[in-house]
Amino acid sequence: SRFEFTRVMRDALESEHVSRNLHSWIDLIFGCAQRGQPAVDRHNVFYYLTYEGAVDLDALEDADQRRAIETQIVNFGQTPTQIFRKA
């Protein structure tokens, strides 16, 4: 049931394991391990279009190319803004 799912997820998120490792997840998603060699070392790399600023949509003159890139971003998502650059 949805209630059981919520209970299980809450228990997992409030666990000691998550508390001990949350900083590593933050580094992967928002921090120094999101891009570059630290990301490669942690197997945390994604298709280039998912990264903020990877393509300037306003500069694209080919409407089909722009539509294709926009569709890909909408369907596959975008990597969050990198807010921490140092470990």
Side-chain angles (χ1 to χ4, degrees):
S1 76
R2 66 181 189 255
F3 300 109
E4 177 67 7
F5 176 81
T6 302
R7 186 194 63 74
V8 169
M9 292 300 110
R10 181 180 299 146
D11 288 347
L13 289 171
E14 294 175 354
S15 72
E16 185 61 33
H17 174 78
V18 170
S19 294
R20 281 193 316 271
N21 294 287
L22 186 61
H23 66 283
S24 297
W25 179 82
I26 290 171
D27 283 348
L28 290 172
I29 304 302
F30 300 106
C32 61
Q34 185 194 72
R35 297 179 183 214
Q37 193 59 48
V40 173
D41 294 344
R42 291 170 177 86
H43 307 286
N44 189 44
V45 293
F46 301 94
Y47 192 62
Y48 80 100
L49 288 178
T50 68
Y51 293 100
E52 181 181 48
V55 64
D56 181 359
L57 291 172
D58 294 328
L60 295 175
E61 295 180 13
D62 183 328
D64 290 334
Q65 183 182 25
R66 179 185 171 117
R67 195 167 24 262
I69 290 173
E70 287 175 335
T71 300
Q72 184 155 353
I73 291 169
V74 166
N75 284 302
F76 293 101
Q78 195 166 27
T79 305
T81 299
Q82 185 179 23
I83 55 177
F84 304 111
R85 307 226 184 259
K86 293 187 218 178

